[in-house]
Amino acid sequence: MDTDARALRSLAQTYFDSAYELDADKFASIFHPSSSVTKVGDDGNVSVTPIATWLAAVRNLKAPKQQGLERQDQILSIDVEGELALLKLKLQIPPRSFTDMLSCLKIEGTWKIAQKVMTSKI
Protein backbone atom coordinates (compact mmCIF):
# COMPACT_ATOMS: atom_id res chain seq x y z
CA MET A 1 0.00 0.00 0.00
CA ASP A 2 1.42 3.40 -0.89
CA THR A 3 2.16 6.14 1.63
CA ASP A 4 -0.84 8.30 0.73
CA ALA A 5 -3.31 5.44 1.02
CA ARG A 6 -1.85 4.48 4.42
CA ALA A 7 -2.07 8.10 5.62
CA LEU A 8 -5.66 8.39 4.40
CA ARG A 9 -6.65 5.12 6.09
CA SER A 10 -5.12 6.50 9.29
CA LEU A 11 -7.09 9.75 8.84
CA ALA A 12 -10.27 7.69 8.33
CA GLN A 13 -9.56 5.71 11.52
CA THR A 14 -9.09 8.97 13.48
CA TYR A 15 -12.36 10.18 11.96
CA PHE A 16 -14.18 6.98 13.04
CA ASP A 17 -12.68 7.18 16.55
CA SER A 18 -13.64 10.87 16.80
CA ALA A 19 -17.22 10.06 15.79
CA TYR A 20 -17.53 7.15 18.23
CA GLU A 21 -16.11 9.25 21.08
CA LEU A 22 -17.65 12.51 19.77
CA ASP A 23 -14.26 14.07 20.50
CA ALA A 24 -14.31 17.55 18.96
CA ASP A 25 -10.59 18.12 19.57
CA LYS A 26 -9.70 14.88 17.81
CA PHE A 27 -11.98 15.88 14.91
CA ALA A 28 -10.31 19.31 14.80
CA SER A 29 -6.91 17.65 14.36
CA ILE A 30 -7.92 16.19 10.98
CA PHE A 31 -10.05 19.04 9.56
CA HIS A 32 -8.54 22.11 7.91
CA PRO A 33 -9.60 25.22 9.87
CA SER A 34 -11.38 26.66 6.81
CA SER A 35 -13.37 23.47 6.12
CA SER A 36 -17.12 23.09 6.40
CA VAL A 37 -19.83 20.45 6.64
CA THR A 38 -22.51 20.33 3.95
CA LYS A 39 -25.74 18.35 4.06
CA VAL A 40 -29.35 18.33 2.96
CA GLY A 41 -31.38 18.77 6.13
CA ASP A 42 -34.55 16.96 7.11
CA ASP A 43 -36.40 20.02 5.75
CA GLY A 44 -34.84 19.48 2.29
CA ASN A 45 -32.64 22.56 2.44
CA VAL A 46 -28.88 22.50 1.93
CA SER A 47 -26.89 23.72 4.91
CA VAL A 48 -23.20 24.61 4.94
CA THR A 49 -21.77 24.82 8.45
CA PRO A 50 -18.27 26.20 9.17
CA ILE A 51 -16.15 23.60 10.94
CA ALA A 52 -15.84 25.67 14.15
CA THR A 53 -19.65 25.81 14.45
CA TRP A 54 -19.96 22.09 13.72
CA LEU A 55 -17.30 21.22 16.32
CA ALA A 56 -19.12 23.34 18.92
CA ALA A 57 -22.28 21.29 18.25
CA VAL A 58 -20.32 18.01 18.54
CA ARG A 59 -19.19 19.06 22.03
CA ASN A 60 -22.84 19.04 23.17
CA LEU A 61 -23.74 15.54 21.95
CA LYS A 62 -23.64 12.27 23.90
CA ALA A 63 -21.05 9.93 22.41
CA PRO A 64 -21.97 6.43 21.20
CA LYS A 65 -19.02 5.19 23.28
CA GLN A 66 -20.58 6.67 26.46
CA GLN A 67 -23.81 4.86 25.62
CA GLY A 68 -22.03 1.54 25.09
CA LEU A 69 -23.21 1.34 21.48
CA GLU A 70 -21.57 -0.95 18.95
CA ARG A 71 -19.39 0.53 16.20
CA GLN A 72 -20.06 0.01 12.52
CA ASP A 73 -17.32 1.81 10.57
CA GLN A 74 -16.46 1.16 6.96
CA ILE A 75 -14.16 2.74 4.37
CA LEU A 76 -16.09 2.40 1.10
CA SER A 77 -13.47 3.99 -1.16
CA ILE A 78 -10.30 6.05 -1.30
CA ASP A 79 -9.50 7.95 -4.49
CA VAL A 80 -6.21 9.87 -4.72
CA GLU A 81 -5.17 12.32 -7.42
CA GLY A 82 -1.94 14.11 -6.52
CA GLU A 83 -2.58 16.30 -3.48
CA LEU A 84 -6.35 15.69 -3.66
CA ALA A 85 -8.21 12.70 -2.21
CA LEU A 86 -11.81 11.68 -1.74
CA LEU A 87 -12.79 9.31 1.07
CA LYS A 88 -16.21 7.70 1.13
CA LEU A 89 -17.05 6.42 4.61
CA LYS A 90 -20.00 4.76 6.30
CA LEU A 91 -20.58 4.90 10.06
CA GLN A 92 -23.28 4.87 12.69
CA ILE A 93 -24.17 7.25 15.46
CA PRO A 94 -27.43 5.60 16.51
CA PRO A 95 -30.17 5.99 15.66
CA ARG A 96 -28.70 7.39 12.41
CA SER A 97 -26.50 5.78 9.78
CA PHE A 98 -24.19 8.17 7.91
CA THR A 99 -22.44 8.19 4.57
CA ASP A 100 -19.74 10.86 4.46
CA MET A 101 -17.71 12.05 1.51
CA LEU A 102 -14.53 13.70 2.75
CA SER A 103 -12.61 15.87 0.28
CA CYS A 104 -9.04 15.94 1.51
CA LEU A 105 -6.01 18.01 0.57
CA LYS A 106 -2.37 17.19 1.23
CA ILE A 107 -1.06 20.36 2.85
CA GLU A 108 2.64 20.57 3.65
CA GLY A 109 2.82 16.77 3.56
CA THR A 110 -0.22 16.14 5.79
CA TRP A 111 -3.71 15.10 4.70
CA LYS A 112 -6.51 17.31 6.04
CA ILE A 113 -10.26 17.24 5.45
CA ALA A 114 -11.15 20.32 3.40
CA GLN A 115 -14.87 19.56 3.01
CA LYS A 116 -17.30 17.07 4.51
CA VAL A 117 -20.48 16.31 2.58
CA MET A 118 -22.82 13.99 4.41
CA THR A 119 -26.14 12.24 4.33
CA SER A 120 -27.87 10.19 6.98
CA LYS A 121 -30.89 8.01 7.55
CA ILE A 122 -32.62 6.41 10.49
Side-chain angles (χ1 to χ4, degrees):
M1 187 185 298
D2 75 333
T3 305
D4 287 326
R6 274 196 308 274
L8 289 161
R9 285 187 179 281
S10 177
L11 182 144
Q13 188 58 54
T14 300
Y15 185 85
F16 290 141
D17 293 345
S18 301
Y20 187 64
E21 299 162 11
L22 284 178
D23 185 329
D25 293 331
K26 194 177 284 189
F27 266 133
S29 75
I30 57 174
F31 278 87
H32 189 274
S34 68
S35 63
S36 59
V37 176
T38 302
K39 69 177 183 172
V40 176
D42 293 334
D43 61 3
N45 292 318
V46 173
S47 69
V48 180
T49 306
I51 196 61
T53 303
W54 184 79
L55 290 170
V58 166
R59 286 184 173 91
N60 293 316
L61 299 173
K62 189 167 182 184
K65 182 177 182 179
Q66 290 176 315
Q67 299 174 59
L69 299 172
E70 189 176 322
R71 291 177 73 156
Q72 293 183 18
D73 307 331
Q74 187 178 9
I75 298 173
L76 299 176
S77 66
I78 298 176
D79 190 6
V80 181
E81 186 65 42
E83 74 283 347
L84 172 67
L86 182 63
L87 299 179
K88 184 177 180 182
L89 309 177
K90 221 177 205 357
L91 64 148
Q92 268 197 307
I93 299 176
R96 295 184 98 66
S97 173
F98 295 87
T99 301
D100 296 344
M101 303 284 272
L102 306 177
S103 294
C104 303
L105 294 172
K106 192 173 188 181
I107 303 165
E108 297 177 0
T110 302
W111 288 100
K112 295 287 184 178
I113 300 167
Q115 178 70 35
K116 169 182 170 166
V117 180
M118 60 176 279
T119 188
S120 68
K121 64 182 178 184
I122 292 182

